[in-house]
Amino acid sequence: AQTVTQSQPEMSVQEAETVTLSCTYDTSENNYYLFWYKQPPSRQMILVIRQEAYKQQNATENRFSVNFQKAAKSFSLKISDSQLGDTAMYFCALTGANSKLTFGKGITLSVRP
Amino acid sequence: NAGVTQTPKFRILKIGQSMTLQCTQDMNHNYMYWYRQDPGMGLKLIYYSVGAGITDKGEVPNGYNVSRSTTEDFPLRLELAAPSQTSVYFCASSSNGANGDTEAFFGQGTRLTVV
């Protein structure tokens, strides 16, 4: 079975500062993909960033980057220059060859003006 | 390009009633999923499908049924609604991972209340 764990239920950050959201996972597969999704109050699920397990280079998308530690099975999301629009729930997710897409419990991020 | 379309957006059911949540996608994705999200919680997988005619249970399948007769459609059936099924339901789809394209696309969600 594959699992995704997000142990921090909520975090708060000042606008323009940097925040890191933690995620650990477990899978028996060698080839898998990791994701961070954002869910604003509108409820829509939005892909933030994706990492392929066989790529050693950490993925980046503008202000969003990940720290992928494959041996430690850790996949954290760093948000730089936080903006008010980043306020949302963030989910870490994992999929592999078994095709199941498994989500963590999520973390509520609040960006303070 | 509509993506993933779920209907209805809201529904109130009485205990014991049944209903079908509809989900259709126009991206020719093989994989489709149904999740439920309880308040302040993550997404729990109910059922998923890797292609037409193939379905499999997720974490919380009890009380639900699915079918996948076509690539496009993946309806979720609640036979005897119970208050514990009050939740927001999301349908999602993704490709088979070829060329690294594995992003899941989500519908807008269905808010279901069972009273």
Side-chain angles (χ1 to χ4, degrees):
Chain A
Q2 61 190 38
T3 60
V4 177
T5 302
Q6 293 178 256
S7 54
Q8 307 157 303
E10 53 185 82
M11 289 190 74
S12 179
V13 64
Q14 194 75 33
E15 192 176 9
E17 293 190 345
T18 296
V19 64
T20 298
L21 311 182
S22 302
C23 173
T24 58
Y25 63 92
D26 193 21
T27 179
S28 57
E29 301 196 20
N30 291 321
N31 191 21
Y32 53 90
Y33 297 85
L34 293 157
F35 309 88
W36 279 98
Y37 280 87
K38 169 184 178 181
Q39 187 182 42
S42 67
R43 239 170 44 196
Q44 182 64 40
M45 295 288 286
I46 303 164
L47 179 67
V48 174
I49 199 164
R50 166 177 52 208
Q51 175 79 41
E52 294 151 23
Y54 63 86
K55 289 189 176 179
Q56 292 186 338
Q57 187 173 5
N58 289 326
T60 62
E61 287 286 343
N62 302 314
R63 298 183 294 108
F64 300 89
S65 61
V66 298
N67 183 3
F68 174 45
Q69 301 289 328
K70 191 172 183 178
K73 294 185 177 176
S74 170
F75 184 61
S76 60
L77 174 69
K78 185 170 83 170
I79 305 174
S80 304
D81 186 25
S82 296
Q83 300 176 359
L84 296 178
D86 294 334
T87 292
M89 204 158 180
Y90 287 81
F91 293 97
C92 181
L94 162 72
T95 191
N98 62 10
S99 73
K100 276 188 180 180
L101 178 58
T102 302
F103 285 82
K105 289 186 177 180
I107 178 171
T108 300
L109 176 67
S110 301
V111 180
R112 305 186 305 273
Chain B
N1 193 344
V4 179
T5 303
Q6 275 184 248
T7 55
K9 287 189 169 55
F10 304 93
R11 183 72 186 270
I12 298 175
L13 276 183
K14 293 185 177 178
I15 295 171
Q17 285 186 322
S18 61
M19 77 165 293
T20 299
L21 281 66
Q22 301 292 345
C23 176
T24 187
Q25 53 93 7
D26 61 0
M27 296 171 282
N28 201 32
H29 285 166
N30 287 328
Y31 297 169
M32 295 189 75
Y33 309 87
W34 273 106
Y35 294 90
R36 59 176 287 172
Q37 183 180 26
D38 298 326
M41 301 295 286
L43 280 75
K44 294 184 179 178
L45 184 63
I46 304 171
Y47 272 96
Y48 68 106
S49 169
V50 301
I54 305 168
T55 62
D56 212 343
K57 295 178 180 178
E59 302 173 68
V60 290
N62 291 343
Y64 307 94
N65 279 302
V66 293
S67 60
R68 185 94 183 270
S69 56
T70 66
T71 299
E72 295 78 18
D73 300 307
F74 191 42
L76 177 72
R77 178 84 177 160
L78 283 71
E79 289 294 350
L80 291 170
S84 61
Q85 293 177 306
T86 293
S87 191
V88 177
Y89 292 82
F90 286 96
C91 179
S93 73
S94 67
S95 70
N96 62 2
N99 303 319
D101 179 16
T102 56
E103 176 184 355
F105 293 82
F106 284 80
Q108 295 276 26
T110 297
R111 184 178 293 278
L112 176 66
T113 302
V114 181
V115 296

